[in-house]
């Protein structure tokens, strides 16, 4: 709604003083609010970032890249880091808004101070003008009474020489009364001029400045509120992309994978053959063991018995030819 | 890529044991990760909620509803509370995923234990079958030698009664060798049967179960990852609506507003009139002050002088009719 404080609130100086003071209190509260919100976001971003760092896999790169679920987890950690940097960006943005608002508030404080000083100066001027009017009015009233009394006195005494003196006195008092009437008229005119000047010019101008100031303040609140909401809204699409990335990573997970890594490429052992010691009686005592036995005509035979505890080495085909 | 562990990894028992152990380690790590992420979200939501609570305006409801910028700030605090509850929802959802995953992991652990116990039982069986084969083979070898030695002895001695004794001994040894050949043949057949059973039936079945278990584990990782990302993505539209609400609130802020609240409805004072004491000489001494003077024919005249410090009361029109 449109309005003009200079004309409509001409008698609300103190109300405006309270109101604008409250407005500045609000700016300071809102600044503090933004500061705390920004700190919350920063703290949140930090925790997210630390979480991502903490869970970086310790195992060798080969495993991370070999297994799709390791790959997915790593990329989900990267997405988390992106989320963290978005929150840092938001925190940064809120903190900038907060700093600007704080600078603006201190400027506004001094501007306001100036306007109310002008208001008080105008008030002092019209008050002194009023005192001047009052005193000259009283002097005129007093002089009129004295003139009246002197007139009575001279009327009572007749044409003797006391009468003459009283008449002169009455004339003098009359003269004084005329003088203070002039002075009273002058300060009356002066006061009425001052009053017109005060209510038609000074108050409207000063109050208009206060009104502009207040309206700028409120617009600033609106702007800051909008700018902070925009900052937060700005990261939503980025966040959404992050989560899409996470979903893709999850979708790319391949449940069937291990074989290629561990496959030895060998076949299970075949039947053990009969050794006829009665046929070759010259033969020396056999020291054969299951392993030696399986060795016949084979390399890497160690790999053919998966259950033997001693066989810790699990070499891949082609790695150790002998 | 498709594969069959029972046939392709038949000799990789230990590799599979290590691999599946590592897989379960990962589940436990991922569970811990979800727990911490959920706690971060909860903590963030709590801070946001407290911030909103802390900044609820202290002033009377009238002021909050009267000024559009107060209204906007209040509604921005409400939006903040909505944001907080969305984050709480996310935290809740992550924590549920975490708990399910943790239950799943302990089930998987015992399932895995069972499979590898079966594997080890099969291994022990084929190992004992092998030992049996080895010992019967050695006995056969030894008996063959003894039979050979006894034959030599009986060949050296001729048809005297010592010769007769040696021949009988040689026949006995020969008989023993025949016996242990039979036993050797039996345990050889037994072992070869066991070995076929082991590599063609037991190992394939057990490894297939381990493979299924591992594939279910990996699918579960993928599912959980997806479900958590979905939970986070689900709140984005709500967050977006919150921010829209915030922007609307900011846009609805009305810079020009105060007048209606403070307007007294009175006009500034007019000119002060001249009081001619000389004309009315009977009149008593005037006690008029600026205020008394302005009072003439007016109510609420107190309101006409905004600058007088004593006038603390700022009553609204129609409030105090007298």
């Amino acid at each position: 709604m449109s309005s003009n404080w200079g004309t409509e609130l001409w008698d609300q100086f103190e109300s405006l003083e309270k109101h604008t003071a409250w407005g500045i209190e609000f700016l300071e509260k809102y600044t503090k609010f933004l500061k705390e919100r920004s700190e919350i976001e920063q703290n949140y971003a930090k925790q997210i970032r630390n979480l991502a760092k903490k869970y970086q896999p310790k195992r060798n790169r080969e495993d991370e890249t070999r297994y799709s679920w390791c790959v997915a987890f790593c990329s989900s950690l990267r997405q988390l880091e992106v989320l963290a940097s978005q929150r840092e960006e938001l925190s940064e943005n809120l903190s900038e808004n907060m700093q600007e608002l704080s600078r603006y508030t201190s400027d506004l404080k001094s501007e306001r101070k100036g306007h109310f000083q002008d208001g008080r100066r105008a008030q002092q001027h019209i008050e002194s003008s009023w005192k001047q009017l009052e005193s000259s009015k009283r002097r005129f009233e007093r002089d009129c009474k004295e003139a009246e009394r002197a007139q009575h006195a001279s009327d009572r005494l007749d044409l003797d020489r006391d009468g003459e003196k009283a008449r002169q006195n009455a004339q003098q008092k009359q003269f004084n009364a005329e003088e203070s009437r002039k002075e009273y008229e002058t300060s009356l005119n002066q006061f009425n001029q001052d009053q017109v000047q005060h209510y038609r010019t000074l108050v409207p101008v000063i109050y208009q400045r206060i009104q502009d100031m207040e309206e700028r303040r409120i617009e600033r609140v609106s702007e800051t509120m909008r700018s902070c909401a925009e900052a937060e809204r700005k990261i939503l699409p980025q966040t959404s992309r992050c989560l899409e990335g996470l979903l893709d990573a999850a979708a790319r997970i391949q449940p069937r994978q291990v074989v290629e890594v561990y496959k030895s490429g060998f076949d299970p052992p075949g039947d053990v053959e009969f050794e006829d010691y009665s046929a070759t009686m010259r033969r020396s005592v056999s020291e054969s063991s299951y392993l030696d036995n399986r060795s016949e005509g084979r390399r890497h035979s160690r790999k053919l018995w998966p259950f033997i505890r001693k066989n810790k080495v699990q070499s891949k085909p082609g790695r150790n030819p002998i």
Side-chain angles (χ1 to χ4, degrees), chain A:
Chain A
M1 78 208 74
S2 169
S3 68
N4 183 318
W5 296 10
T7 54
E8 299 180 60
L9 300 185
W10 64 272
D11 55 352
Q12 297 298 322
F13 187 79
E14 289 191 320
S15 310
L16 294 186
E17 208 170 13
K18 285 205 202 71
H19 185 79
T20 50
W22 176 45
I24 282 173
E25 270 171 41
F26 174 82
L27 283 189
E28 285 165 339
K29 190 175 92 168
Y30 188 44
T31 308
K32 199 156 158 301
F33 169 83
L34 289 178
K35 186 168 181 299
E36 294 178 25
R37 174 74 199 274
S38 159
E39 285 165 352
I40 289 172
E41 290 302 330
Q42 195 176 25
N43 175 35
Y44 174 65
K46 193 165 157 244
Q47 288 180 297
I48 291 287
R49 193 175 282 290
N50 291 343
L51 184 71
K53 201 174 285 135
K54 176 176 175 184
Y55 281 88
Q56 286 300 339
K58 305 273 170 294
R59 286 171 70 97
N60 58 68
R61 293 203 75 282
E62 203 183 333
D63 275 326
E64 290 166 34
T65 53
R66 175 184 293 142
Y67 299 109
S68 60
W69 44 280
C70 290
V71 173
F73 184 62
C74 289
S75 81
S76 79
L77 293 179
R78 276 194 300 280
Q79 298 295 1
L80 213 55
E81 281 170 340
V82 179
L83 279 173
S85 50
Q86 289 164 12
R87 287 286 161 174
E88 280 156 357
E89 192 188 310
L90 170 59
S91 165
E92 192 47 49
N93 200 318
L94 292 172
S95 147
E96 277 160 17
N97 270 289
M98 179 273 286
Q99 284 157 18
E100 279 168 27
L101 193 63
S102 151
R103 277 191 292 278
Y104 175 80
T105 306
S106 56
D107 295 351
L108 199 73
K109 270 175 160 174
S110 46
E111 183 187 346
R112 174 176 175 279
K113 200 174 158 200
H115 295 324
F116 283 94
Q117 275 169 350
D118 296 344
R120 230 164 246 100
R121 255 195 299 281
Q123 152 187 1
Q124 280 147 12
H125 178 75
I126 191 84
E127 276 173 344
S128 65
S129 174
W130 169 250
K131 287 197 189 69
Q132 172 57 38
L133 171 59
E134 280 293 275
S135 63
S136 55
K137 179 175 151 193
R138 286 208 182 73
R139 191 177 307 105
F140 172 53
E141 189 177 13
R142 189 197 59 214
D143 291 353
C144 287
K145 284 197 196 63
E146 287 180 2
E148 188 180 13
R149 261 190 251 95
Q151 192 56 52
H152 280 277
S154 81
D155 292 352
R156 262 190 271 96
L157 305 169
D158 223 335
L159 310 151
D160 57 16
R161 78 190 191 300
D162 289 352
E164 176 56 24
K165 196 160 171 234
R167 194 164 46 260
Q168 281 170 13
N169 180 40
Q171 279 166 357
Q172 179 54 45
K173 294 293 182 189
Q174 193 54 46
F175 175 77
N176 292 351
E178 283 311 316
E179 284 305 304
S180 49
R181 163 198 288 275
K182 290 198 195 85
E183 199 190 318
Y184 171 41
E185 280 171 345
T186 313
S187 48
L188 180 65
N189 295 335
Q190 181 57 54
F191 172 77
N192 283 333
Q193 276 174 37
D194 288 348
Q195 195 172 239
V196 167
Q197 156 88 351
H198 181 79
Y199 289 116
R200 303 277 174 262
T201 309
L202 294 179
V203 164
V205 166
I206 295 165
Y207 284 24
Q208 186 55 55
R209 292 200 198 110
I210 296 173
Q211 177 175 21
D212 296 344
M213 179 188 75
E214 173 68 2
E215 288 174 4
R216 271 184 279 110
R217 182 191 71 82
I218 298 175
E219 271 154 13
R220 184 54 177 259
V221 169
S222 167
E223 257 171 53
T224 307
M225 216 171 259
R226 188 193 49 67
S227 150
C228 293
E230 284 294 358
E232 202 162 353
R233 197 168 62 164
K234 211 182 84 202
I235 65 170
L236 285 184
Q238 304 166 12
T239 311
S240 171
R241 275 195 294 282
C242 268
L243 297 172
E244 293 300 339
L246 232 157
L247 287 165
D248 293 348
R252 275 195 302 276
I253 289 180
Q254 257 296 346
R256 322 193 100 214
Q257 220 178 351
V258 197
V259 177
E260 302 314 310
V261 183
Y262 295 116
K263 198 172 179 179
S264 70
F266 296 118
D267 298 328
D271 284 356
V272 178
E273 282 144 25
F274 181 79
E275 299 183 42
D276 191 350
Y277 297 102
S278 59
T280 66
M281 288 301 188
R282 286 282 164 280
R283 208 168 172 292
S284 70
V285 174
S286 154
E287 293 304 330
S288 89
S289 76
Y290 182 73
L291 292 188
D292 303 340
N293 176 296
R294 314 324 298 137
S295 315
E296 286 158 11
R298 280 221 190 81
R299 296 192 166 292
H300 313 301
S301 56
R302 279 164 34 267
K303 313 182 58 31
L304 292 180
W305 184 250
F307 297 142
I308 298 297
R309 282 278 146 272
K310 338 183 191 72
N311 303 347
K312 285 277 165 277
V313 192
Q314 296 288 354
S315 59
K316 311 266 168 305
R319 280 264 188 88
N320 56 350
I322 310 300

